[in-house]
Amino acid sequence: MNAPTGFFTSLTDQLNRRASRAVLSQLGFRNDPLRNHLRNWFERMAGSEGSFLADPVFEATFGWTLAETTLGALAGTLLHPDLVRALGNPPSEFAEEYTFPAERQPYQHQIEACEMLLAGGPPRSVLVTSGTGSGKTECFLWPILHDLATEAARSPTPLTGVRALFLYPLNALIKSQRDRLVAWSEPFKGRIRFCLYNGNTPYQSPPRRDQPYASEVLGRDVLRADPPPILVTNATMLEYLLVRADDRPILDASQGRLRWIVLDEAHTYMGSQAAEIALLLRRVLHGFGCRAEDVHFVATSATFASDEDSQRQLQEFLAQVAGVPSERVRVIVGTRRTPPLDPKMAAMARPLPAPAVLREMTREGLYDVLAANPPARAVRQRITEGAARLSQLAEILFGQSDEITRRNTLELLDLATGAHNGAGEPFLPLRGHFLERAQTGLWVCANFICPGRKNTPLDNARWPFGPVFLERRTHCPVCSIPVFELVQCGECGAQYLAAREKNDVDASWLLPRPSPVDEDEFQQELEPPETEEDEDNEPVADPRQGLPRLLTEPGQSHLSGWLSKENCFDCATESGARVHVRGPEEDGRLHCPVCGEREKSPMSLFKPARLGAPFLLGVAIPTLLAHMQPFGKSDPLLPLDGRRLITFSDSRQGTARFAAKAQQEAERNYVRSLLYHHIAESARPRNGEESAALRQQLAELEQAQQANPNLSSVLGKIIHEKRAKLAELDAPPLGRLGWNEAVQRLLAESGFERWMLAGLKEQTGGELSDSELAHLCLLREFFRRSKRQNSLETLGLLRLRYPALANVTTAPDGWRQRNFSLDDCVISWAWRWIITSGRFPPWKSLASNSAGSVFRGGDAT
């Protein structure tokens, strides 16, 4: 079997290329030299200037050090036998991911944590620091389940009252533990229960017959009447629990019983957050009637602590947060085990074959070749010592780091991840860290003849300015002429430079226009709502900031002059750079000289070229998911076969807004796919035999026309008809789907019913029927054509047709008086209806039998 290749190479290329194309498409620059220059810049190799991706960072992911014993050997000695059986026999739906058979070896740090937490004497506390995917959850969950299993074995009734409190910083992390808790608690048949308590926990539990698992408490009513021994929550809900009268029964039933407190993702508690959680824990101990010295505190962190000083700091951190002596705290570090290379292979110095040869090798053969190559061994050694940048690895392999060597290094890393020896041990398993920048603006030198634009696509008469920069600057590093931020007309996309003019007694000054940089980019709307223009409100400019100006092309300006290196603007002195300035019109507002649109408030029409994290995430997430393996079993009824991804941000409202947009985009893409494929399947197949026969007839007719000039006019009409018929046969086949038929096709799709209808019903309050929701999905796609967003029509995949409009033969008199055609009238009427009424045109008046139809074609009209 050949080694898999291309994962990191493909992911790097796709992330960068899609970000570049999406940004250029979204910004929609009108100027071809600028667009070509930015495309060349943006699509460079990761780590290069201008690229959207920084220098990728890689770290080795060799397996974690295994314990010398098996889980089965711990039954009855370290762990309760009932727990060991439960770990090996979860419910069938969780068996694939959460089965831990008795013959499997746990990790060494898992055993150390269990031994420390379950040792006799005063309760000990543990902070586990290890990497992602190293089984940190088992380090505290196994000891807690052992403790509860031991108590449950002595109790004739299910345990009541909270014994273990799990604190997670995010609800997403709380939900991520649900399956694991069900898998390992369900075998106890309700004797050990848990509850996920957050703002989404319903007040009323479903009937017992509708509860899938006996181990999970689903409602607040049962939580308060019969508290389970495990409570999983967040700091906010815990605050409510301590002061809310409705939750008082939980505390009353748990008095003196709390003996475990878990802080997951402890590295997120910093500064004031750490102080707040420390005070909260002291209130928790008081509320539950416990003392700190009687409770096991467990914290987990993905922050590595390999040296003694770091471990001591982590030890003191948990001791201070928990309020226990530091000597009662133990820091347990997970370590990876790097399999040693064969000494014979490690002593060789063989050169690497060509990449094409390497790609054809088997896993074992590739392993031997890499192990026998000194630079490849050096790369392996460097990464096992710590994370390394791609450019550093290129230096080791090739002695230099440029775009070519970095790409070659990336390809070699892909091969190294797929190389295995005879024992199945990988040569170099890797995790990649990709850092993507946002598009924070463009800054441009005002000097048209600046040498910095030479040897670039900007060296073109159609580009009226100098070189472009990605970082904010005040002056050009090449010619020292002032630099201004590039802005675009929000209506037509024309580019200008934003400036402000300040005057004093001696001179006029053109200065950069200040722009806010502290806005929350997660609050930026992709398609801002249109507002009615208030003619009575004149734009107000702050005189302290100067008067707004635009630097333009020569034919678009009101005034031309010379700009010095000191920002002095002079119309007479020919010194510095020639610039062309445009100011407000008579109405006091700036107008776009290309499309004539005017601003509604100061500089509201002319926006900087900025796209933040929400937009870039929306582009990167599908790329990341497409490269990942499906989570568990592939589910073709779900988008991307059910792949999943978690994102984090420090803006709660922005995250909620981004999540809603991501959900809407996923729903729209799903509907787009269904419509497109249904219509493509309905397209009639081409009749190759009929086309061939028609071509033969045309050839014969053309020969006859040449041979008989007297019959040229008669034959010409026949030939014209035959050519039109042939063009129709050779045209891409069209598939048609009526509007109501499209609704029924959506409802018939199991995926649409399975994952879309439930969410849509919840969002609409359950007031719309399934058919109305399907109509809503179609209206959402065809209701309007947004300037900055895609739809089936703007993508050129489908076209919406109004059958009744074909019967309209006469335009209104007022329309004809303005010399507009009937086609202009029909298009304008449809869009005017949408704009003025906020609703779609009256479908039934346009079509006799259906509300319209969508069909596939090459024209997105």
Side-chain angles (χ1 to χ4, degrees):
M1 180 180 179
N2 289 352
T5 59
F7 175 80
F8 286 122
T9 303
S10 173
L11 180 61
T12 303
D13 289 343
Q14 290 294 325
L15 283 173
N16 203 41
R17 184 179 298 114
R18 293 185 183 185
S20 171
R21 294 178 178 179
V23 167
L24 289 176
S25 175
Q26 181 69 19
L27 294 177
F29 293 113
R30 293 174 58 97
N31 189 277
D32 290 338
L34 175 63
R35 188 168 56 251
N36 294 334
H37 176 69
L38 293 177
R39 181 182 296 110
N40 294 343
W41 219 0
F42 291 164
E43 293 188 358
R44 297 179 64 188
M45 178 64 186
S48 303
E49 182 184 7
S51 173
F52 276 98
L53 287 181
D55 200 357
V57 177
F58 293 94
E59 61 174 324
T61 57
F62 288 106
W64 301 94
T65 304
L66 295 173
E68 296 180 356
T69 184
T70 64
L71 183 67
L74 301 176
T77 57
L78 182 62
L79 299 178
H80 197 281
D82 290 347
L83 172 58
V84 175
R85 283 191 291 269
L87 296 176
N89 297 279
S92 57
E93 59 268 35
F94 303 106
E96 181 178 356
E97 186 172 359
Y98 294 111
T99 298
F100 205 109
E103 60 273 13
R104 183 183 297 176
Q105 294 173 266
Y107 294 134
Q108 180 61 36
H109 58 274
Q110 293 173 336
I111 298 299
E112 291 179 9
C114 290
E115 291 175 342
M116 177 60 59
L117 292 171
L118 298 178
R124 298 279 181 171
S125 297
V126 163
L127 191 149
V128 181
T129 171
S130 187
T132 304
S134 61
K136 294 190 294 295
T137 301
E138 286 81 353
C139 291
F140 62 81
L141 192 53
W142 286 357
I144 292 174
L145 290 176
H146 162 85
D147 182 33
L148 297 178
T150 302
E151 184 181 2
R154 299 193 301 262
S155 175
T157 59
L159 301 181
T160 297
V162 177
R163 272 79 164 167
L165 185 63
F166 296 0
L167 277 179
Y168 287 86
L170 296 172
N171 284 342
L173 296 175
I174 295 176
K175 291 181 179 180
S176 69
Q177 297 301 326
R178 185 254 179 189
D179 289 354
R180 190 192 310 267
L181 286 168
V182 170
W184 293 343
S185 300
E186 193 64 17
F188 290 93
K189 303 185 183 303
R191 292 180 296 140
I192 298 178
R193 298 169 300 134
F194 71 93
C195 179
L196 307 183
Y197 190 30
N198 56 36
N200 297 324
T201 305
Y203 286 89
Q204 192 70 28
S205 300
R208 185 172 296 276
R209 64 178 180 274
D210 296 332
Q211 298 182 24
Y213 303 108
S215 58
E216 183 176 14
V217 173
L218 296 175
R220 304 188 188 197
D221 53 343
V222 177
L223 170 63
R224 291 160 178 167
D226 186 13
I230 299 177
L231 183 63
V232 186
T233 187
N234 56 49
T236 301
M237 291 302 295
L238 191 54
E239 289 269 9
Y240 291 153
L241 186 150
L242 294 174
V243 299
R244 192 159 44 193
D246 290 343
D247 288 333
R248 185 66 200 181
I250 303 174
L251 298 177
D252 293 339
S254 306
Q255 288 297 302
R257 295 179 174 178
L258 182 66
R259 50 182 181 264
W260 298 90
I261 294 180
V262 177
L263 295 175
D264 200 23
E265 306 293 332
H267 55 275
T268 62
Y269 298 109
M270 301 176 61
S272 61
Q273 288 181 315
E276 290 175 4
I277 201 68
L279 294 175
L280 177 61
L281 292 182
R282 283 152 178 76
R283 294 173 55 206
V284 166
L285 293 172
H286 177 75
F288 280 85
C290 301
R291 300 183 306 168
E293 54 266 29
D294 297 328
V295 176
H296 298 274
F297 292 90
V298 184
T300 65
S301 173
T303 303
F304 285 100
S306 55
D307 58 278
E308 293 184 1
D309 184 61
S310 298
Q311 294 184 29
R312 180 183 54 79
Q313 292 179 14
L314 290 176
Q315 181 183 25
E316 293 178 355
F317 165 79
L318 182 57
Q320 293 174 3
V321 169
V324 297
S326 59
E327 57 268 17
R328 297 267 293 272
V329 178
R330 167 81 178 274
V331 176
I332 295 177
V333 181
T335 57
R336 295 187 183 273
R337 175 186 174 274
T338 304
L341 298 175
D342 185 335
K344 294 181 180 179
M345 303 298 296
M348 296 182 180
R350 296 178 180 174
L352 288 177
V357 176
L358 292 173
R359 286 192 288 268
E360 296 300 321
M361 288 184 173
T362 64
R363 292 176 181 270
E364 292 77 10
L366 183 59
Y367 185 98
D368 292 341
V369 168
L370 294 174
N373 180 257
R377 293 197 301 268
V379 166
R380 184 177 189 262
Q381 179 63 32
R382 172 62 184 84
I383 295 183
T384 55
E385 293 173 353
R389 296 193 302 272
L390 180 63
S391 57
Q392 295 174 322
L393 303 179
E395 290 280 357
I396 295 174
L397 283 173
F398 302 103
Q400 59 180 342
S401 174
D402 53 32
E403 291 195 29
I404 296 176
T405 57
R406 290 201 302 275
R407 179 172 295 279
N408 292 339
T409 302
L410 200 57
E411 293 177 356
L412 187 63
L413 292 178
D414 273 323
L415 292 168
T417 61
H420 290 73
N421 60 14
E425 297 174 331
F427 180 80
L428 185 57
L430 292 173
R431 176 186 292 124
H433 300 265
F434 295 87
L435 306 177
E436 188 173 59
R437 68 171 177 85
Q439 178 56 41
T440 57
L442 295 172
W443 289 264
V444 182
C445 171
N447 185 8
F448 172 75
I449 59 173
C450 176
R453 55 182 267 168
K454 299 296 183 182
N455 301 319
T456 71
L458 297 176
D459 192 11
N460 187 299
R462 296 183 57 191
W463 176 243
F465 307 114
V468 178
F469 308 99
L470 293 177
E471 305 86 13
R472 185 181 300 273
R473 295 173 180 267
T474 58
H475 291 79
C476 177
V478 180
C479 67
S480 301
I481 292 297
V483 168
F484 301 87
E485 186 169 10
L486 182 137
V487 294
Q488 290 180 275
C489 171
E491 185 67 24
C492 68
Q495 292 84 219
Y496 309 99
L497 303 187
R500 56 193 173 102
E501 183 179 358
K502 296 188 73 172
N503 299 296
D504 56 28
V505 177
D506 299 323
S508 296
W509 309 88
L510 278 181
L511 304 172
R513 187 198 75 177
S515 57
V517 295
D518 57 349
E519 59 184 330
D520 182 358
E521 59 188 13
F522 277 88
Q523 296 180 0
Q524 296 172 357
E525 293 292 337
L526 187 63
E527 192 73 30
E530 296 183 4
T531 57
E532 294 293 332
E533 182 178 349
D534 189 350
E535 296 289 349
D536 297 330
N537 290 337
E538 292 295 327
V540 179
D542 187 352
R544 295 172 299 177
Q545 299 294 338
L547 301 175
R549 298 289 184 262
L550 295 176
L551 302 188
T552 70
E553 298 180 14
Q556 301 171 345
S557 64
H558 294 146
L559 184 67
S560 297
W562 297 86
L563 181 64
S564 71
K565 298 178 181 180
E566 294 77 23
N567 292 84
C568 181
F569 178 66
D570 193 333
C571 297
T573 304
E574 297 185 5
S575 174
R578 182 77 167 174
V579 295
H580 309 279
V581 182
R582 184 180 182 89
E585 302 292 340
E586 294 180 357
D587 58 5
R589 305 171 189 259
L590 286 173
H591 289 224
C592 174
V594 175
C595 66
E597 185 72 11
R598 65 175 182 170
E599 61 183 2
K600 297 178 176 60
S601 60
M603 299 307 291
S604 62
L605 177 64
F606 304 98
K607 299 292 186 179
R610 297 179 187 173
L611 291 171
F615 179 82
L616 272 301
L617 274 177
V619 176
I621 285 175
T623 307
L624 292 170
L625 288 173
H627 280 76
M628 296 294 106
Q629 294 295 322
F631 186 81
K633 294 183 179 179
S634 175
D635 190 342
L637 297 181
L638 295 177
L640 289 166
D641 293 334
R643 293 173 172 87
R644 295 186 244 176
L645 178 146
I646 295 179
T647 67
F648 300 92
S649 83
D650 55 2
S651 170
R652 291 189 177 184
Q653 293 183 354
T655 300
R657 187 179 294 107
F658 172 75
K661 287 185 178 181
Q663 176 69 18
Q664 291 175 3
E665 194 62 23
E667 293 173 355
R668 292 188 65 183
N669 284 336
Y670 187 76
V671 172
R672 290 169 184 167
S673 175
L674 292 180
L675 290 176
Y676 177 81
H677 287 292
H678 279 308
I679 294 174
E681 291 172 1
S682 69
R684 59 169 178 79
R686 291 176 178 169
N687 192 329
E689 295 182 358
E690 186 178 357
S691 296
L694 196 54
R695 284 191 177 85
Q696 180 64 29
Q697 294 175 17
L698 272 172
E700 294 173 356
L701 288 171
E702 289 170 351
Q703 291 178 0
Q705 185 184 36
Q706 294 177 358
N708 301 280
N710 296 332
L711 300 176
S712 177
S713 60
V714 176
L715 293 177
K717 294 180 180 179
I718 300 175
I719 290 173
H720 178 75
E721 293 175 357
K722 295 289 185 181
R723 284 176 176 169
K725 178 64 175 178
L726 181 61
E728 182 181 350
L729 291 174
D730 290 342
L734 296 179
R736 290 176 171 81
L737 191 65
W739 185 273
N740 292 329
E741 185 183 359
V743 170
Q744 296 306 316
R745 292 289 184 93
L746 290 181
L747 293 174
E749 288 289 336
S750 57
F752 182 81
E753 179 183 5
R754 176 177 168 184
W755 76 273
M756 279 190 63
L757 279 181
L760 291 172
K761 286 181 179 179
E762 182 180 355
Q763 294 166 20
T764 55
E767 297 181 358
L768 300 180
S769 64
D770 292 356
S771 177
E772 289 173 325
L773 290 173
H775 273 285
L776 181 64
C777 290
L778 294 182
L779 289 173
R780 180 167 60 180
E781 184 63 25
F782 295 103
F783 183 82
R784 62 191 290 263
R785 293 176 182 170
S786 301
K787 296 178 184 178
R788 305 287 184 181
Q789 290 179 305
N790 287 327
S791 68
L792 283 168
E793 291 190 284
T794 59
L795 290 169
L797 299 175
L798 302 182
R799 184 175 67 186
L800 189 68
R801 185 171 67 91
Y802 304 89
L805 291 181
N807 300 325
V808 178
T809 58
T810 305
D813 292 339
W815 196 257
R816 282 185 279 121
Q817 290 174 4
R818 290 175 171 79
N819 297 321
F820 288 122
S821 68
L822 177 61
D823 290 338
D824 296 328
C825 173
V826 171
I827 295 172
S828 176
W829 174 85
W831 290 110
R832 176 59 59 183
W833 180 283
I834 292 173
I835 293 171
T836 57
S837 68
R839 296 181 289 108
F840 235 62
W843 302 105
K844 293 184 179 180
S845 67
L846 292 177
S848 56
N849 297 322
S850 64
S853 63
V854 287
F855 65 92
R856 178 175 179 267
D859 180 19
T861 304

